[in-house]
């Protein structure tokens, strides 16, 4: 019981940290928007990703912080916070690595394959990256709770995929698709390898760390994860 309570406290503390980190990240984007709008959106013109322009490669990291209008940032902020928190609550360090990866894959998809000299900015690539990560993370980590969350998110927000297909007018569908691919890749790269090794280790019954054995029914794993979250 004490070990379960300890794990639950760690998870709650990590979730609290994730909330404040993602909130601070969204607040930073809004502060940048205030400066950008006051300057006539010169920041977006000067620090956006321009396809094929080597001078704009540093913008792979700055473009997700910039937007073209208040409607643009308002449309991104809600999904960014929700998916960002769900991506971060199991580990802020992993989330920061994921954010860097998705920014690069989203921006490079635009830089390599987009046509024309239009500056591309916006956090929607991150939104799609976090979405893809949340949907498949549970499968790679073998977390039943995260798998259920992924199923719910996929069912509830499947419509997002309609703006990540070729020919979607008025949006950078390549940036969305690149972000989505980065999120799925991140779920694999940042998967919980320790849990996988424990599940494949020898010995019957529960392991030393309290993980259910490979022969335990799936319901036992679900009950354990709900217990870790303090829900049982």
């Amino acid at each position: 019981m004490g070990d379960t309570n300890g794990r639950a406290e760690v998870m709650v503390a990590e979730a609290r940290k994730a909330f404040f980190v993602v909130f601070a990240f969204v607040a930073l984007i809004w502060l940048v928007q205030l400066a950008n709008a006051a300057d006539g959106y010169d920041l977006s013109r000067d620090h956006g990703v321009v396809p094929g322009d080597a001078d704009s490669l540093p913008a792979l990291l700055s473009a997700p912080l910039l937007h073209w209008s208040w409607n643009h940032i308002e449309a991104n902020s809600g999904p960014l916070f929700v998916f960002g928190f769900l991506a971060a609550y199991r580990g802020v360090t992993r989330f920061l690595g994921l954010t860097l990866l998705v920014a690069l894959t989203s921006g490079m998809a635009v830089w390599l394959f987009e046509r024309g000299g239009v500056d591309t900015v916006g956090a929607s690539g991150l939104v799609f990256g976090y979405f893809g990560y949340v949907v498949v993370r549970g499968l790679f980590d073998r977390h039943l709770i995260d798998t259920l969350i992924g199923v719910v998110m996929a069912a509830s927000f499947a419509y997002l995929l309609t703006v990540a297909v070729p020919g979607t007018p008025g949006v950078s569908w390549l940036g969305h698709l690149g972000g989505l691919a980065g999120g799925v890749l991140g779920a694999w790269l940042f998967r919980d390898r320790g849990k996988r090794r424990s599940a494949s280790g020898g010995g019957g019954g529960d392991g030393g760390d309290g993980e259910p054995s490979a022969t335990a029914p799936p319901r036992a794993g679900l009950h354990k994860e709900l217990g870790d979250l303090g829900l049982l």
Side-chain angles (χ1 to χ4, degrees):
M1 179 64 71
D3 186 46
T4 298
N5 289 339
R7 285 196 298 269
E9 290 175 1
V10 169
M11 291 183 65
V12 170
E14 198 67 29
R16 185 182 299 114
K17 186 192 304 182
F19 176 87
F20 287 112
V21 167
V22 176
F23 181 86
F25 183 49
V26 175
L28 171 63
I29 290 176
W30 275 84
L31 289 175
V32 171
Q33 170 65 11
L34 287 172
N36 198 10
D39 199 32
Y41 293 97
D42 281 344
L43 289 175
S44 292
R45 282 184 283 271
D46 294 340
H47 300 284
V49 177
V50 180
D53 183 359
D55 291 337
S56 75
L57 283 175
L60 296 176
L61 301 181
S62 61
L65 304 177
L66 300 166
H67 292 82
W68 283 116
S69 68
W70 292 106
N71 287 338
H72 191 191
I73 191 173
E74 287 169 5
N76 282 336
S77 294
L80 183 67
F81 181 81
V82 172
F83 294 136
F85 172 75
L86 291 175
Y89 87 97
R90 283 209 185 264
V92 168
T93 301
R94 188 186 308 185
F95 169 74
L96 296 177
L98 172 70
T99 299
L100 177 61
L101 174 65
V102 170
L104 293 176
T105 58
S106 176
M108 284 304 298
V110 171
W111 193 86
L112 289 172
F113 303 114
E114 189 69 81
R115 295 291 179 267
V118 178
D119 295 277
T120 298
V121 299
S124 54
L126 294 181
V127 170
F128 275 79
Y130 297 155
F131 172 71
Y133 177 79
V134 167
V135 167
V136 303
R137 171 183 56 191
L139 300 178
F140 291 117
D141 282 354
R142 297 184 181 178
H143 279 300
L144 293 179
I145 293 296
D146 287 346
T147 301
L148 292 175
I149 290 174
V151 170
V152 171
M153 291 298 104
S156 301
F157 296 95
Y159 68 89
L160 289 175
L161 299 178
T162 62
V163 289
V165 296
T168 304
V171 299
S172 177
W173 68 268
L174 279 166
H176 296 169
L177 186 60
L180 185 66
V184 174
L185 176 62
W188 181 78
L189 289 176
F190 300 120
R191 66 192 184 278
D192 192 344
R193 292 174 174 84
K195 184 178 178 67
R196 184 177 295 266
R197 284 196 298 269
S198 173
S200 62
D206 287 351
D209 60 356
E211 294 291 342
S213 69
T215 59
R219 186 178 298 178
L222 178 59
H223 286 175
K224 178 187 177 300
E225 292 190 24
L226 289 173
D228 287 349
L229 291 169
L231 300 178
L232 283 179

